[in-house]
Amino acid sequence: MDRSTPHPQTPTVATASVLPEGASTVGLSAWADIDLGAISANVAELSRRAGDADVMAVIKGDAYGHGLVPVAHAAVAGGATYLAVAQLTEALAARAAGVTAPILTWLFPPGADLAAALRADLTLSAGAPWALAEIAAAARTTGSPARIHLKVDTGLGRGGAWREDLAAMLVDAARLQAEGVLDVEGIFSHFAYADAPGHPSVRAQQEVFAAVLADAERAGLRPRIRHLANSAALLTNPSSHYDMVRPGVSIYGLSPVPDIGGPTHFGLREAMRVTARLISVKDCPAGQGISYAHLYTTTQDTRLGLVPLGYADGIPRHASNLGPMQVHGRRYTVAGRVCMDQMVLDLGADSPARAGDEVVLIGREADGEPTAQDWAAAIGTINYEIVTRLGPRVPRRYPEGA
Ligand SMILES: *Cc1c(COP(=O)(O)O)cnc(C)c1O
């Protein structure tokens, strides 16, 4: 193998099948309705809350499970002027599907085909000296300046440059910009504790960011787009807004700070609704153990409903005996273990439910339905993980005016 040849970056992301507009759900085990109007409205509301700052909508992870391409268009319709993904392949997939807005990507390894990225008019993050060097080399092969955002670690302790690496990169980037190889359009960083607005690290990171901007200016760089705020910072900390905010989870109508308030509190609306159909409903005597290892035992004569979703679909196995669902307006909790493809509800003796009836797994807070946040709270994780892991076996629908 020629080790100098970059691996072709396939412009695809794992994504669920999409049901045609107006498709019936009869005969489906489960489906997710994605309300693109809610996403546009959420972006508009976030933009209003961001004041003069522009909105860069974060659509990594298949748009947090909502679908990369439709969400890209909905975010732009709502007023986002920039899009962001983690992996380069996600950015290439969006371009290949006709998304024309500026797109920033911040996760690619040494040897990635950056010339292809630049030909696709992507904005590349430079968070390490090797990345700056490889971007410059790629720009020389394409013959036009590479648009970059410098990624600074102000104290998250994750990606981005700091200390001597950062100092050297500021000098190199200024030189490469003067040579016409780079356009240093932006500079950004990311908080460790944005969801705890009073945490001392928030203020400390902002002070480091301000110092880095001053260092950049001394090196001869004045990036036009300075950005720091994710959803939590956007909603709770206006002093972090700078020129652009970078919300992800909130554009999907989920609260990044559920202890402070849910979506309604922030003027947001959940965009994802997950529904399943009961596969069977059967009578069951008291004292019956339910599902693997019999982690649940019926306490009375009852009826059992079989839900055709499991951990292969992203339902956390940790939600055994914990995950919330609703049938005919009544709340239930998973009975026993979540299996790979199925789980059980103890519906009660008087339930009118029958095979084929709908089970709401993720609905709206405002309607009193189970939410992604409820699932997250039940198992000790965050709403991000619940929606992002919803698997490709659950087809997505994009109903008009959902
Ligand atoms: C994921 C991510 C975001 C979006 O964060 P939310 O909390 O979903 O708003 C912003 N910036 C970076 C660097 C990220 O990795």
Side-chain angles (χ1 to χ4, degrees), residues 178-226:
E179 291 171 11
V181 175
L182 297 183
D183 168 14
V184 185
E185 178 189 66
I187 186 164
F188 73 114
S189 189
H190 195 40
F191 284 117
Y193 267 107
D195 55 348
H199 193 277
S201 70
V202 172
R203 189 182 196 154
Q205 283 194 251
Q206 283 182 245
E207 284 167 6
V208 173
F209 194 56
V212 168
L213 294 177
D215 289 346
E217 188 154 352
R218 270 192 294 279
L221 290 172
R222 263 192 168 206
R224 304 185 286 290
I225 309 179
R226 301 159 299 171

mmCIF file of all heavy atoms in Angstrom, residues 178-226:
data_model
loop_
_atom_site.group_PDB
_atom_site.id
_atom_site.type_symbol
_atom_site.label_atom_id
_atom_site.label_comp_id
_atom_site.label_asym_id
_atom_site.label_seq_id
_atom_site.Cartn_x
_atom_site.Cartn_y
_atom_site.Cartn_z
ATOM 1 N N ALA A 178 -0.168 35.640 5.881
ATOM 2 C CA ALA A 178 0.502 36.698 5.109
ATOM 3 C C ALA A 178 0.953 36.165 3.751
ATOM 4 O O ALA A 178 0.957 36.903 2.756
ATOM 5 C CB ALA A 178 1.703 37.242 5.902
ATOM 6 N N GLU A 179 1.301 34.874 3.703
ATOM 7 C CA GLU A 179 1.728 34.264 2.428
ATOM 8 C C GLU A 179 0.554 33.895 1.535
ATOM 9 O O GLU A 179 0.739 33.387 0.428
ATOM 10 C CB GLU A 179 2.544 32.985 2.715
ATOM 11 C CG GLU A 179 3.903 33.257 3.337
ATOM 12 C CD GLU A 179 4.599 31.960 3.803
ATOM 13 O OE1 GLU A 179 4.128 30.856 3.455
ATOM 14 O OE2 GLU A 179 5.611 32.071 4.515
ATOM 15 N N GLY A 180 -0.665 34.071 2.035
ATOM 16 C CA GLY A 180 -1.846 33.738 1.226
ATOM 17 C C GLY A 180 -2.196 32.258 1.234
ATOM 18 O O GLY A 180 -2.986 31.790 0.415
ATOM 19 N N VAL A 181 -1.608 31.504 2.174
ATOM 20 C CA VAL A 181 -1.887 30.066 2.242
ATOM 21 C C VAL A 181 -3.118 29.792 3.109
ATOM 22 O O VAL A 181 -3.887 28.875 2.849
ATOM 23 C CB VAL A 181 -0.649 29.321 2.810
ATOM 24 C CG1 VAL A 181 -0.941 27.838 2.999
ATOM 25 C CG2 VAL A 181 0.544 29.524 1.879
ATOM 26 N N LEU A 182 -3.295 30.619 4.144
ATOM 27 C CA LEU A 182 -4.405 30.427 5.079
ATOM 28 C C LEU A 182 -5.242 31.693 5.178
ATOM 29 O O LEU A 182 -4.727 32.799 5.050
ATOM 30 C CB LEU A 182 -3.879 30.126 6.493
ATOM 31 C CG LEU A 182 -3.073 28.871 6.752
ATOM 32 C CD1 LEU A 182 -2.744 28.787 8.240
ATOM 33 C CD2 LEU A 182 -3.833 27.621 6.304
ATOM 34 N N ASP A 183 -6.523 31.489 5.449
ATOM 35 C CA ASP A 183 -7.387 32.579 5.910
ATOM 36 C C ASP A 183 -7.819 32.182 7.333
ATOM 37 O O ASP A 183 -8.641 31.277 7.501
ATOM 38 C CB ASP A 183 -8.599 32.722 4.975
ATOM 39 C CG ASP A 183 -9.663 33.641 5.562
ATOM 40 O OD1 ASP A 183 -9.379 34.365 6.534
ATOM 41 O OD2 ASP A 183 -10.801 33.620 5.037
ATOM 42 N N VAL A 184 -7.230 32.825 8.322
ATOM 43 C CA VAL A 184 -7.572 32.487 9.715
ATOM 44 C C VAL A 184 -8.865 33.233 10.064
ATOM 45 O O VAL A 184 -8.855 34.310 10.642
ATOM 46 C CB VAL A 184 -6.429 32.830 10.685
ATOM 47 C CG1 VAL A 184 -6.774 32.344 12.096
ATOM 48 C CG2 VAL A 184 -5.118 32.209 10.217
ATOM 49 N N GLU A 185 -9.958 32.609 9.688
ATOM 50 C CA GLU A 185 -11.264 33.254 9.830
ATOM 51 C C GLU A 185 -11.747 33.259 11.280
ATOM 52 O O GLU A 185 -12.425 34.191 11.710
ATOM 53 C CB GLU A 185 -12.292 32.504 8.965
ATOM 54 C CG GLU A 185 -13.705 33.061 9.060
ATOM 55 C CD GLU A 185 -14.714 32.159 8.370
ATOM 56 O OE1 GLU A 185 -14.941 31.003 8.830
ATOM 57 O OE2 GLU A 185 -15.286 32.628 7.371
ATOM 58 N N GLY A 186 -11.410 32.189 12.019
ATOM 59 C CA GLY A 186 -11.980 32.060 13.359
ATOM 60 C C GLY A 186 -11.003 31.546 14.385
ATOM 61 O O GLY A 186 -9.911 31.055 14.057
ATOM 62 N N ILE A 187 -11.409 31.679 15.630
ATOM 63 C CA ILE A 187 -10.663 31.106 16.752
ATOM 64 C C ILE A 187 -11.695 30.700 17.796
ATOM 65 O O ILE A 187 -12.667 31.421 18.022
ATOM 66 C CB ILE A 187 -9.620 32.108 17.301
ATOM 67 C CG1 ILE A 187 -8.746 31.456 18.379
ATOM 68 C CG2 ILE A 187 -10.282 33.384 17.824
ATOM 69 C CD1 ILE A 187 -7.466 32.263 18.674
ATOM 70 N N PHE A 188 -11.528 29.510 18.377
ATOM 71 C CA PHE A 188 -12.580 29.043 19.277
ATOM 72 C C PHE A 188 -12.043 28.152 20.378
ATOM 73 O O PHE A 188 -10.907 27.686 20.329
ATOM 74 C CB PHE A 188 -13.699 28.354 18.497
ATOM 75 C CG PHE A 188 -13.391 26.975 17.933
ATOM 76 C CD1 PHE A 188 -14.054 25.852 18.411
ATOM 77 C CD2 PHE A 188 -12.475 26.801 16.904
ATOM 78 C CE1 PHE A 188 -13.813 24.578 17.880
ATOM 79 C CE2 PHE A 188 -12.221 25.541 16.357
ATOM 80 C CZ PHE A 188 -12.892 24.430 16.851
ATOM 81 N N SER A 189 -12.901 27.976 21.366
ATOM 82 C CA SER A 189 -12.580 27.107 22.489
ATOM 83 C C SER A 189 -13.885 26.525 23.025
ATOM 84 O O SER A 189 -14.962 26.831 22.506
ATOM 85 C CB SER A 189 -11.825 27.891 23.562
ATOM 86 O OG SER A 189 -11.329 27.014 24.559
ATOM 87 N N HIS A 190 -13.788 25.675 24.040
ATOM 88 C CA HIS A 190 -14.959 24.933 24.510
ATOM 89 C C HIS A 190 -14.867 24.822 26.029
ATOM 90 O O HIS A 190 -13.779 24.629 26.568
ATOM 91 C CB HIS A 190 -14.939 23.548 23.843
ATOM 92 C CG HIS A 190 -16.215 22.769 23.913
ATOM 93 N ND1 HIS A 190 -17.465 23.328 23.759
ATOM 94 C CD2 HIS A 190 -16.429 21.438 24.094
ATOM 95 C CE1 HIS A 190 -18.387 22.366 23.853
ATOM 96 N NE2 HIS A 190 -17.784 21.219 24.055
ATOM 97 N N PHE A 191 -16.016 24.959 26.700
ATOM 98 C CA PHE A 191 -16.051 24.955 28.173
ATOM 99 C C PHE A 191 -16.068 23.534 28.750
ATOM 100 O O PHE A 191 -16.656 22.627 28.172
ATOM 101 C CB PHE A 191 -17.318 25.650 28.674
ATOM 102 C CG PHE A 191 -17.290 27.153 28.596
ATOM 103 C CD1 PHE A 191 -18.185 27.832 27.781
ATOM 104 C CD2 PHE A 191 -16.391 27.890 29.357
ATOM 105 C CE1 PHE A 191 -18.184 29.222 27.727
ATOM 106 C CE2 PHE A 191 -16.386 29.279 29.301
ATOM 107 C CZ PHE A 191 -17.289 29.941 28.488
ATOM 108 N N ALA A 192 -15.502 23.404 29.942
ATOM 109 C CA ALA A 192 -15.595 22.145 30.700
ATOM 110 C C ALA A 192 -16.879 22.083 31.517
ATOM 111 O O ALA A 192 -17.436 21.006 31.745
ATOM 112 C CB ALA A 192 -14.397 22.014 31.639
ATOM 113 N N TYR A 193 -17.366 23.247 31.966
ATOM 114 C CA TYR A 193 -18.442 23.306 32.958
ATOM 115 C C TYR A 193 -19.510 24.315 32.563
ATOM 116 O O TYR A 193 -20.048 24.995 33.435
ATOM 117 C CB TYR A 193 -17.852 23.737 34.309
ATOM 118 C CG TYR A 193 -17.445 22.614 35.232
ATOM 119 C CD1 TYR A 193 -16.106 22.317 35.441
ATOM 120 C CD2 TYR A 193 -18.413 21.876 35.917
ATOM 121 C CE1 TYR A 193 -15.722 21.311 36.318
ATOM 122 C CE2 TYR A 193 -18.032 20.867 36.788
ATOM 123 C CZ TYR A 193 -16.696 20.589 36.985
ATOM 124 O OH TYR A 193 -16.320 19.593 37.850
ATOM 125 N N ALA A 194 -19.823 24.399 31.258
ATOM 126 C CA ALA A 194 -20.826 25.381 30.841
ATOM 127 C C ALA A 194 -22.172 25.096 31.494
ATOM 128 O O ALA A 194 -22.979 26.000 31.702
ATOM 129 C CB ALA A 194 -20.962 25.368 29.322
ATOM 130 N N ASP A 195 -22.424 23.820 31.828
ATOM 131 C CA ASP A 195 -23.723 23.461 32.415
ATOM 132 C C ASP A 195 -23.765 23.728 33.918
ATOM 133 O O ASP A 195 -24.759 23.423 34.570
ATOM 134 C CB ASP A 195 -24.060 22.004 32.099
ATOM 135 C CG ASP A 195 -22.967 21.031 32.534
ATOM 136 O OD1 ASP A 195 -21.849 21.483 32.871
ATOM 137 O OD2 ASP A 195 -23.230 19.816 32.537
ATOM 138 N N ALA A 196 -22.702 24.289 34.466
ATOM 139 C CA ALA A 196 -22.699 24.734 35.867
ATOM 140 C C ALA A 196 -22.221 26.185 35.853
ATOM 141 O O ALA A 196 -21.055 26.476 36.143
ATOM 142 C CB ALA A 196 -21.774 23.857 36.702
ATOM 143 N N PRO A 197 -23.142 27.111 35.485
ATOM 144 C CA PRO A 197 -22.728 28.470 35.126
ATOM 145 C C PRO A 197 -21.891 29.184 36.188
ATOM 146 O O PRO A 197 -21.053 30.016 35.848
ATOM 147 C CB PRO A 197 -24.052 29.206 34.915
ATOM 148 C CG PRO A 197 -25.065 28.137 34.672
ATOM 149 C CD PRO A 197 -24.591 26.902 35.357
ATOM 150 N N GLY A 198 -22.074 28.824 37.474
ATOM 151 C CA GLY A 198 -21.300 29.510 38.502
ATOM 152 C C GLY A 198 -19.941 28.889 38.770
ATOM 153 O O GLY A 198 -19.169 29.364 39.601
ATOM 154 N N HIS A 199 -19.646 27.799 38.072
ATOM 155 C CA HIS A 199 -18.389 27.097 38.361
ATOM 156 C C HIS A 199 -17.189 28.001 38.048
ATOM 157 O O HIS A 199 -17.157 28.647 36.994
ATOM 158 C CB HIS A 199 -18.318 25.812 37.543
ATOM 159 C CG HIS A 199 -17.229 24.891 37.992
ATOM 160 N ND1 HIS A 199 -15.928 25.027 37.577
ATOM 161 C CD2 HIS A 199 -17.241 23.827 38.846
ATOM 162 C CE1 HIS A 199 -15.190 24.085 38.143
ATOM 163 N NE2 HIS A 199 -15.963 23.344 38.917
ATOM 164 N N PRO A 200 -16.218 28.054 38.951
ATOM 165 C CA PRO A 200 -15.091 28.979 38.744
ATOM 166 C C PRO A 200 -14.322 28.742 37.446
ATOM 167 O O PRO A 200 -13.713 29.672 36.904
ATOM 168 C CB PRO A 200 -14.193 28.740 39.962
ATOM 169 C CG PRO A 200 -14.758 27.568 40.695
ATOM 170 C CD PRO A 200 -16.156 27.349 40.235
ATOM 171 N N SER A 201 -14.353 27.508 36.929
ATOM 172 C CA SER A 201 -13.600 27.244 35.689
ATOM 173 C C SER A 201 -14.197 27.993 34.501
ATOM 174 O O SER A 201 -13.500 28.261 33.519
ATOM 175 C CB SER A 201 -13.576 25.740 35.396
ATOM 176 O OG SER A 201 -14.864 25.292 35.023
ATOM 177 N N VAL A 202 -15.484 28.331 34.570
ATOM 178 C CA VAL A 202 -16.113 29.029 33.444
ATOM 179 C C VAL A 202 -15.450 30.391 33.261
ATOM 180 O O VAL A 202 -14.996 30.764 32.175
ATOM 181 C CB VAL A 202 -17.636 29.189 33.674
ATOM 182 C CG1 VAL A 202 -18.248 30.081 32.612
ATOM 183 C CG2 VAL A 202 -18.319 27.817 33.697
ATOM 184 N N ARG A 203 -15.372 31.113 34.367
ATOM 185 C CA ARG A 203 -14.755 32.431 34.332
ATOM 186 C C ARG A 203 -13.265 32.328 33.995
ATOM 187 O O ARG A 203 -12.734 33.116 33.202
ATOM 188 C CB ARG A 203 -14.934 33.060 35.698
ATOM 189 C CG ARG A 203 -14.513 34.467 35.663
ATOM 190 C CD ARG A 203 -14.639 35.068 37.028
ATOM 191 N NE ARG A 203 -14.581 36.495 36.795
ATOM 192 C CZ ARG A 203 -15.113 37.376 37.574
ATOM 193 N NH1 ARG A 203 -15.757 37.009 38.624
ATOM 194 N NH2 ARG A 203 -14.995 38.635 37.304
ATOM 195 N N ALA A 204 -12.610 31.329 34.570
ATOM 196 C CA ALA A 204 -11.179 31.158 34.308
ATOM 197 C C ALA A 204 -10.929 30.894 32.823
ATOM 198 O O ALA A 204 -10.014 31.466 32.221
ATOM 199 C CB ALA A 204 -10.624 30.009 35.152
ATOM 200 N N GLN A 205 -11.778 30.068 32.205
ATOM 201 C CA GLN A 205 -11.575 29.778 30.774
ATOM 202 C C GLN A 205 -11.820 31.025 29.930
ATOM 203 O O GLN A 205 -11.130 31.246 28.932
ATOM 204 C CB GLN A 205 -12.498 28.634 30.328
ATOM 205 C CG GLN A 205 -12.004 27.268 30.776
ATOM 206 C CD GLN A 205 -12.723 26.130 30.047
ATOM 207 O OE1 GLN A 205 -13.526 25.421 30.653
ATOM 208 N NE2 GLN A 205 -12.453 25.951 28.767
ATOM 209 N N GLN A 206 -12.804 31.839 30.321
ATOM 210 C CA GLN A 206 -13.040 33.072 29.564
ATOM 211 C C GLN A 206 -11.840 34.011 29.678
ATOM 212 O O GLN A 206 -11.476 34.681 28.719
ATOM 213 C CB GLN A 206 -14.314 33.761 30.056
ATOM 214 C CG GLN A 206 -15.560 33.083 29.524
ATOM 215 C CD GLN A 206 -16.853 33.777 29.945
ATOM 216 O OE1 GLN A 206 -17.648 33.202 30.672
ATOM 217 N NE2 GLN A 206 -17.052 35.004 29.513
ATOM 218 N N GLU A 207 -11.208 34.040 30.849
ATOM 219 C CA GLU A 207 -10.029 34.902 31.007
ATOM 220 C C GLU A 207 -8.879 34.397 30.147
ATOM 221 O O GLU A 207 -8.175 35.175 29.509
ATOM 222 C CB GLU A 207 -9.631 34.985 32.489
ATOM 223 C CG GLU A 207 -10.577 35.911 33.248
ATOM 224 C CD GLU A 207 -10.460 35.807 34.771
ATOM 225 O OE1 GLU A 207 -9.547 35.095 35.267
ATOM 226 O OE2 GLU A 207 -11.292 36.442 35.453
ATOM 227 N N VAL A 208 -8.717 33.062 30.097
ATOM 228 C CA VAL A 208 -7.659 32.509 29.242
ATOM 229 C C VAL A 208 -7.960 32.833 27.779
ATOM 230 O O VAL A 208 -7.072 33.226 27.012
ATOM 231 C CB VAL A 208 -7.516 30.985 29.448
ATOM 232 C CG1 VAL A 208 -6.541 30.389 28.439
ATOM 233 C CG2 VAL A 208 -7.074 30.671 30.869
ATOM 234 N N PHE A 209 -9.236 32.708 27.398
ATOM 235 C CA PHE A 209 -9.605 32.984 25.999
ATOM 236 C C PHE A 209 -9.276 34.433 25.642
ATOM 237 O O PHE A 209 -8.696 34.707 24.580
ATOM 238 C CB PHE A 209 -11.101 32.697 25.801
ATOM 239 C CG PHE A 209 -11.537 32.607 24.352
ATOM 240 C CD1 PHE A 209 -10.931 31.714 23.473
ATOM 241 C CD2 PHE A 209 -12.566 33.407 23.871
ATOM 242 C CE1 PHE A 209 -11.342 31.621 22.142
ATOM 243 C CE2 PHE A 209 -12.986 33.324 22.539
ATOM 244 C CZ PHE A 209 -12.374 32.423 21.682
ATOM 245 N N ALA A 210 -9.617 35.350 26.541
ATOM 246 C CA ALA A 210 -9.325 36.774 26.292
ATOM 247 C C ALA A 210 -7.813 36.978 26.135
ATOM 248 O O ALA A 210 -7.360 37.717 25.253
ATOM 249 C CB ALA A 210 -9.878 37.626 27.427
ATOM 250 N N ALA A 211 -7.035 36.298 26.961
ATOM 251 C CA ALA A 211 -5.573 36.434 26.877
ATOM 252 C C ALA A 211 -5.056 35.876 25.554
ATOM 253 O O ALA A 211 -4.155 36.456 24.924
ATOM 254 C CB ALA A 211 -4.915 35.723 28.056
ATOM 255 N N VAL A 212 -5.647 34.772 25.104
ATOM 256 C CA VAL A 212 -5.212 34.173 23.835
ATOM 257 C C VAL A 212 -5.551 35.113 22.665
ATOM 258 O O VAL A 212 -4.751 35.261 21.730
ATOM 259 C CB VAL A 212 -5.868 32.790 23.640
ATOM 260 C CG1 VAL A 212 -5.660 32.289 22.219
ATOM 261 C CG2 VAL A 212 -5.311 31.789 24.646
ATOM 262 N N LEU A 213 -6.712 35.760 22.741
ATOM 263 C CA LEU A 213 -7.068 36.698 21.669
ATOM 264 C C LEU A 213 -6.048 37.841 21.609
ATOM 265 O O LEU A 213 -5.656 38.281 20.518
ATOM 266 C CB LEU A 213 -8.484 37.257 21.889
ATOM 267 C CG LEU A 213 -9.622 36.233 21.787
ATOM 268 C CD1 LEU A 213 -10.966 36.889 22.103
ATOM 269 C CD2 LEU A 213 -9.660 35.578 20.404
ATOM 270 N N ALA A 214 -5.609 38.278 22.768
ATOM 271 C CA ALA A 214 -4.594 39.338 22.797
ATOM 272 C C ALA A 214 -3.267 38.826 22.231
ATOM 273 O O ALA A 214 -2.599 39.528 21.453
ATOM 274 C CB ALA A 214 -4.410 39.843 24.227
ATOM 275 N N ASP A 215 -2.905 37.602 22.571
ATOM 276 C CA ASP A 215 -1.680 36.996 22.018
ATOM 277 C C ASP A 215 -1.776 36.891 20.502
ATOM 278 O O ASP A 215 -0.808 37.160 19.776
ATOM 279 C CB ASP A 215 -1.460 35.574 22.574
ATOM 280 C CG ASP A 215 -1.052 35.580 24.040
ATOM 281 O OD1 ASP A 215 -0.677 36.652 24.555
ATOM 282 O OD2 ASP A 215 -1.124 34.495 24.664
ATOM 283 N N ALA A 216 -2.970 36.480 20.023
ATOM 284 C CA ALA A 216 -3.152 36.336 18.578
ATOM 285 C C ALA A 216 -2.957 37.685 17.898
ATOM 286 O O ALA A 216 -2.287 37.783 16.856
ATOM 287 C CB ALA A 216 -4.549 35.780 18.291
ATOM 288 N N GLU A 217 -3.522 38.698 18.505
ATOM 289 C CA GLU A 217 -3.406 40.030 17.903
ATOM 290 C C GLU A 217 -1.948 40.478 17.853
ATOM 291 O O GLU A 217 -1.488 41.024 16.846
ATOM 292 C CB GLU A 217 -4.266 41.026 18.688
ATOM 293 C CG GLU A 217 -4.345 42.363 17.991
ATOM 294 C CD GLU A 217 -5.601 43.150 18.334
ATOM 295 O OE1 GLU A 217 -6.488 42.580 19.012
ATOM 296 O OE2 GLU A 217 -5.675 44.311 17.923
ATOM 297 N N ARG A 218 -1.224 40.205 18.930
ATOM 298 C CA ARG A 218 0.213 40.549 18.936
ATOM 299 C C ARG A 218 0.967 39.790 17.852
ATOM 300 O O ARG A 218 1.937 40.278 17.292
ATOM 301 C CB ARG A 218 0.827 40.240 20.312
ATOM 302 C CG ARG A 218 0.747 41.429 21.274
ATOM 303 C CD ARG A 218 1.612 41.196 22.516
ATOM 304 N NE ARG A 218 1.115 40.096 23.329
ATOM 305 C CZ ARG A 218 0.108 40.222 24.198
ATOM 306 N NH1 ARG A 218 -0.486 41.390 24.390
ATOM 307 N NH2 ARG A 218 -0.310 39.179 24.892
ATOM 308 N N ALA A 219 0.490 38.567 17.551
ATOM 309 C CA ALA A 219 1.143 37.779 16.502
ATOM 310 C C ALA A 219 0.711 38.252 15.113
ATOM 311 O O ALA A 219 1.218 37.755 14.101
ATOM 312 C CB ALA A 219 0.824 36.300 16.686
ATOM 313 N N GLY A 220 -0.266 39.165 15.062
ATOM 314 C CA GLY A 220 -0.712 39.691 13.765
ATOM 315 C C GLY A 220 -1.987 39.040 13.260
ATOM 316 O O GLY A 220 -2.320 39.142 12.074
ATOM 317 N N LEU A 221 -2.739 38.380 14.163
ATOM 318 C CA LEU A 221 -3.979 37.711 13.747
ATOM 319 C C LEU A 221 -5.175 38.377 14.414
ATOM 320 O O LEU A 221 -5.159 38.635 15.624
ATOM 321 C CB LEU A 221 -3.959 36.240 14.188
ATOM 322 C CG LEU A 221 -2.987 35.312 13.479
ATOM 323 C CD1 LEU A 221 -2.961 33.955 14.191
ATOM 324 C CD2 LEU A 221 -3.384 35.124 12.016
ATOM 325 N N ARG A 222 -6.203 38.631 13.626
ATOM 326 C CA ARG A 222 -7.457 39.161 14.171
ATOM 327 C C ARG A 222 -8.609 38.368 13.596
ATOM 328 O O ARG A 222 -9.335 38.855 12.725
ATOM 329 C CB ARG A 222 -7.611 40.622 13.765
ATOM 330 C CG ARG A 222 -7.153 41.555 14.822
ATOM 331 C CD ARG A 222 -7.604 42.943 14.467
ATOM 332 N NE ARG A 222 -7.411 43.773 15.629
ATOM 333 C CZ ARG A 222 -8.101 44.854 15.873
ATOM 334 N NH1 ARG A 222 -9.036 45.248 15.027
ATOM 335 N NH2 ARG A 222 -7.861 45.564 16.944
ATOM 336 N N PRO A 223 -8.808 37.129 14.046
ATOM 337 C CA PRO A 223 -9.869 36.295 13.462
ATOM 338 C C PRO A 223 -11.223 36.993 13.591
ATOM 339 O O PRO A 223 -11.547 37.554 14.638
ATOM 340 C CB PRO A 223 -9.815 35.022 14.310
ATOM 341 C CG PRO A 223 -8.451 35.010 14.920
ATOM 342 C CD PRO A 223 -8.096 36.444 15.133
ATOM 343 N N ARG A 224 -11.993 36.959 12.503
ATOM 344 C CA ARG A 224 -13.280 37.673 12.469
ATOM 345 C C ARG A 224 -14.330 36.982 13.328
ATOM 346 O O ARG A 224 -15.272 37.605 13.783
ATOM 347 C CB ARG A 224 -13.810 37.722 11.019
ATOM 348 C CG ARG A 224 -12.843 38.350 10.036
ATOM 349 C CD ARG A 224 -13.467 38.494 8.653
ATOM 350 N NE ARG A 224 -13.598 37.245 7.905
ATOM 351 C CZ ARG A 224 -12.594 36.539 7.395
ATOM 352 N NH1 ARG A 224 -11.335 36.913 7.617
ATOM 353 N NH2 ARG A 224 -12.814 35.444 6.693
ATOM 354 N N ILE A 225 -14.199 35.666 13.498
ATOM 355 C CA ILE A 225 -15.232 34.928 14.230
ATOM 356 C C ILE A 225 -14.612 34.271 15.458
ATOM 357 O O ILE A 225 -13.901 33.269 15.362
ATOM 358 C CB ILE A 225 -15.891 33.849 13.332
ATOM 359 C CG1 ILE A 225 -16.349 34.447 12.002
ATOM 360 C CG2 ILE A 225 -17.065 33.217 14.070
ATOM 361 C CD1 ILE A 225 -16.991 33.434 11.055
ATOM 362 N N ARG A 226 -14.879 34.865 16.626
ATOM 363 C CA ARG A 226 -14.428 34.280 17.899
ATOM 364 C C ARG A 226 -15.628 33.557 18.501
ATOM 365 O O ARG A 226 -16.703 34.149 18.613
ATOM 366 C CB ARG A 226 -13.952 35.389 18.832
ATOM 367 C CG ARG A 226 -12.798 36.232 18.241
ATOM 368 C CD ARG A 226 -12.682 37.587 18.923
ATOM 369 N NE ARG A 226 -13.919 38.349 18.745
ATOM 370 C CZ ARG A 226 -14.204 39.496 19.368
ATOM 371 N NH1 ARG A 226 -13.341 40.035 20.208
ATOM 372 N NH2 ARG A 226 -15.355 40.116 19.149
#
